[in-house]
Amino acid sequence: MQAPRKPPRRSASQRNNNGQRQRAGVTPAREDVERQFLDAAERLLLRVGYAGITTRKLAEEAGLNHGLVHYYFGSMQELLLQVLERFTDRLIERQEEMYAAPGPFLDKWRAAMRYLDEDEESGYSKVWYELQAMGWNDPEIRKRVANVDRAWFKVITKALDKAMDEYGLDRTQFPLEAVVTLVGTFNEGITLQRLSGIRSGHSALLKAIDRWLEELEIRKRQRKRTQ
Amino acid sequence: MQAPRKPPRRSASQRNNNGQRQRAGVTPAREDVERQFLDAAERLLLRVGYAGITTRKLAEEAGLNHGLVHYYFGSMQELLLQVLERFTDRLIERQEEMYAAPGPFLDKWRAAMRYLDEDEESGYSKVWYELQAMGWNDPEIRKRVANVDRAWFKVITKALDKAMDEYGLDRTQFPLEAVVTLVGTFNEGITLQRLSGIRSGHSALLKAIDRWLEELEIRKRQRKRTQ
DNA sequence: ACGCACCTTGGTCAAATGACTAAATAGCAC
DNA sequence: GTGCTATTTAGTCATTTGACCAAGGTGCGT
């Protein structure tokens, strides 16, 4: 990845529709090849970071000819943008699914904290943070990253709004927006630190929160019984 | 920045000491030139990110000949490592200074929160996070980043330890390590979000914390009076 | 089995890169 | 001034890069 010598062409999808159906009717084969490139790009993001991705390395990783990158995507920038798109769709979807599920908030919180470990394990975090780092130097990417963050913020807001009712928390003392921001930012902070191999204090913090939520859960049940 | 074709030479300082004194007696001129390169590197980190730095762009930014990079530092990797070194020394120093100052914790907290804005404004955050992102793909850099984080953790621990006494906080409910981790991670999270242009909820959170600390400060004074 | 749109290959190209160096120059000790 | 070392300049070099394309192959509809 470096500054392109010439501005890249708009995108492959624009030049290739010589009377051919747009996104709607892409051939399965085509979709397959595109997916292979996007998968390979994610693997490279994980392994070498965005700065280490070049058309040729990408093609090698995908086991495909390097000319295809240009044919299918028009440019690296476009490809990376599609990686971002696909990745974040999955991210938001998962998040919504999790919090929309039935059951007490405590369970959802624990599931979310499990994701923290799983995502580190699977390299999900690394890929997502590489995309973010790309965004720091690319307005178009940054815009999309910000959108995802906003969507994430919304999902957590909804979940925590319900949770505060559920546990009868005082909204004067803990304004919803502040709580959401605290939860969101400390999550990002933890992930960021882990990327640098730092884990000190994480389990202490998570344990303290878990204990606190557990207590709230117990009190909730007691309230129900005495009613 | 890309994989070097050959492993770079150890460092400029090793080849240049033809009987000449090591670091101790570097000529002022030399130190000056080195500083110019390091300054230029920071400016480029801020403006284009680590992936966009090349020896030639760096030399241009510094207004110096590109051959000098090799002469003085031996390689880009070495130069970037020195950028990190210098940068983080300043970071820790400032942090220690701030919390070591006299006065109530509330004041220190407010100073720290002001830094949050100042550092974004000045580009300090961007530089620091670019260095972190570099570390995600470079063990040597990552190690140093982790060290800085550890040092930062220690400083906050000391400060918050004192603060919890000062405000009489219950260490069973808020274990020191958990609190430190929460403060550290949400700080990093806020900075990270701001790099992507996200600011929603930040002021709400900071205001809520400020109000809470203010209340603690008032109660502290009341305690003193009634004693 | 023919036509034709689509796909794939294997390249070219100019520009850029990190590493490295010969030669000129500057600055200082004497 | 002379001599000598440290610094600086202006390159070279082998590679790599993103962009781009010609030519041939493939497979499907008919």
Side-chain angles (χ1 to χ4, degrees):
Chain A
M1 278 294 287
Q2 55 197 30
R5 265 141 287 251
K6 290 188 200 178
R9 287 217 234 98
R10 237 31 344 255
S11 90
S13 51
Q14 277 190 19
R15 16 191 318 268
N16 280 339
N17 55 3
N18 320 325
Q20 149 208 25
R21 303 121 320 197
Q22 198 63 346
R23 241 327 64 183
V26 272
T27 66
R30 171 168 196 141
E31 208 142 70
D32 211 57
V33 173
E34 289 187 0
R35 196 179 36 69
Q36 282 181 69
F37 273 120
L38 297 180
D39 288 349
E42 281 188 14
R43 286 198 299 276
L44 284 182
L45 281 176
L46 172 59
R47 210 164 58 235
V48 300
Y50 77 94
I53 301 185
T54 65
T55 44
R56 283 162 169 88
K57 269 193 248 174
L58 179 67
E60 196 196 0
E61 176 70 32
L64 296 165
N65 189 281
H66 79 267
L68 294 180
V69 174
H70 187 256
Y71 181 77
Y72 279 115
F73 295 93
S75 69
M76 274 300 288
Q77 149 97 356
E78 173 64 24
L79 187 143
L80 259 0
L81 226 59
Q82 286 193 32
V83 171
L84 177 59
E85 201 125 350
R86 193 180 68 152
F87 190 85
T88 57
D89 282 353
R90 294 197 304 235
L91 198 79
I92 294 297
E93 199 182 329
R94 188 186 72 176
Q95 211 66 215
E96 274 175 345
E97 213 168 87
M98 190 182 65
Y99 283 120
F105 177 76
L106 177 60
D107 290 353
K108 292 172 194 173
W109 177 264
R110 283 177 174 163
M113 292 307 105
R114 263 198 306 279
Y115 278 143
L116 216 55
D117 294 330
E118 270 175 36
D119 290 351
E120 188 191 1
E121 199 68 32
S122 69
Y124 213 71
S125 317
K126 174 66 160 42
V127 174
W128 174 226
Y129 277 67
E130 283 289 341
L131 290 168
Q132 290 199 40
M134 272 178 73
W136 302 342
N137 303 293
D138 182 326
E140 205 161 344
I141 302 233
R142 180 164 56 236
K143 215 171 58 189
R144 276 208 63 86
V145 168
N147 280 339
V148 174
D149 228 276
R150 248 184 296 283
W152 191 50
F153 189 89
K154 262 193 191 165
V155 174
I156 308 185
T157 300
K158 209 170 132 190
L160 288 181
D161 192 19
K162 222 175 111 211
M164 291 186 83
D165 283 344
E166 189 178 333
Y167 293 146
L169 291 175
D170 174 15
R171 284 169 194 265
T172 319
Q173 200 180 354
F174 309 102
L176 178 58
E177 200 187 4
V179 174
V180 171
T181 306
L182 182 62
V183 170
T185 53
F186 101 75
N187 250 280
E188 299 219 60
I190 283 188
T191 308
L192 186 68
Q193 289 191 348
R194 289 188 178 180
L195 281 180
S196 297
I198 303 152
R199 332 187 53 83
S200 55
H202 292 188
S203 73
L205 174 57
L206 297 183
K207 230 174 260 168
I209 296 176
D210 197 86
R211 250 207 316 272
W212 180 60
L213 288 175
E214 211 168 27
E215 205 181 305
L216 289 173
E217 178 72 24
I218 291 170
R219 264 193 245 158
K220 180 187 81 178
R221 291 184 193 169
Q222 287 173 340
R223 263 200 309 281
K224 259 190 191 160
R225 228 171 296 144
T226 51
Q227 261 173 9
Chain B
M1 278 294 288
Q2 55 197 28
R5 265 140 286 252
K6 290 189 199 176
R9 288 216 232 97
R10 241 20 1 245
S11 89
S13 53
Q14 278 191 20
R15 20 194 314 270
N16 281 340
N17 55 5
N18 319 326
Q20 149 210 28
R21 302 120 322 194
Q22 195 68 342
R23 248 306 88 173
V26 272
T27 66
R30 171 167 196 143
E31 210 143 69
D32 211 58
V33 173
E34 290 187 1
R35 195 179 36 70
Q36 282 181 69
F37 273 120
L38 298 180
D39 288 348
E42 281 188 14
R43 286 197 300 275
L44 283 183
L45 282 176
L46 172 59
R47 212 165 56 237
V48 301
Y50 77 92
I53 300 186
T54 65
T55 44
R56 282 161 170 87
K57 270 193 248 175
L58 178 68
E60 197 196 1
E61 176 70 30
L64 296 165
N65 189 282
H66 80 267
L68 295 180
V69 174
H70 187 257
Y71 181 76
Y72 279 115
F73 297 93
S75 70
M76 272 301 288
Q77 149 98 356
E78 173 64 23
L79 186 143
L80 260 359
L81 228 59
Q82 287 193 30
V83 170
L84 178 59
E85 200 125 350
R86 194 181 66 152
F87 190 86
T88 56
D89 282 352
R90 295 198 303 234
L91 198 79
I92 294 297
E93 199 183 328
R94 187 185 75 176
Q95 212 66 215
E96 275 176 344
E97 214 169 86
M98 190 183 65
Y99 283 119
F105 178 75
L106 178 60
D107 290 352
K108 292 172 194 171
W109 177 264
R110 284 178 174 163
M113 293 306 106
R114 262 198 307 278
Y115 279 143
L116 215 56
D117 294 329
E118 270 173 38
D119 290 351
E120 189 193 1
E121 198 69 32
S122 70
Y124 213 71
S125 317
K126 174 67 160 40
V127 173
W128 174 227
Y129 278 65
E130 283 289 341
L131 290 168
Q132 289 200 41
M134 273 178 72
W136 302 342
N137 303 292
D138 182 326
E140 205 162 343
I141 302 237
R142 179 164 57 237
K143 214 172 56 190
R144 277 208 61 86
V145 168
N147 280 340
V148 174
D149 229 278
R150 248 186 295 283
W152 190 50
F153 189 90
K154 263 193 192 164
V155 175
I156 309 185
T157 300
K158 209 171 131 193
L160 288 181
D161 192 19
K162 223 176 109 210
M164 291 187 83
D165 283 344
E166 189 179 334
Y167 294 145
L169 292 174
D170 174 16
R171 284 167 193 267
T172 320
Q173 199 181 356
F174 309 101
L176 177 60
E177 198 186 6
V179 174
V180 170
T181 305
L182 182 62
V183 169
T185 52
F186 102 75
N187 251 281
E188 299 220 59
I190 283 188
T191 307
L192 186 68
Q193 290 191 347
R194 289 188 177 179
L195 281 180
S196 298
I198 302 153
R199 331 185 55 82
S200 55
H202 293 188
S203 72
L205 174 57
L206 297 183
K207 230 173 263 169
I209 295 176
D210 197 88
R211 249 206 316 273
W212 179 61
L213 287 175
E214 212 167 25
E215 205 180 305
L216 289 174
E217 177 70 26
I218 290 170
R219 264 192 247 158
K220 178 188 83 179
R221 291 184 193 170
Q222 287 173 342
R223 262 201 311 280
K224 259 190 191 162
R225 229 171 296 143
T226 51
Q227 260 174 12

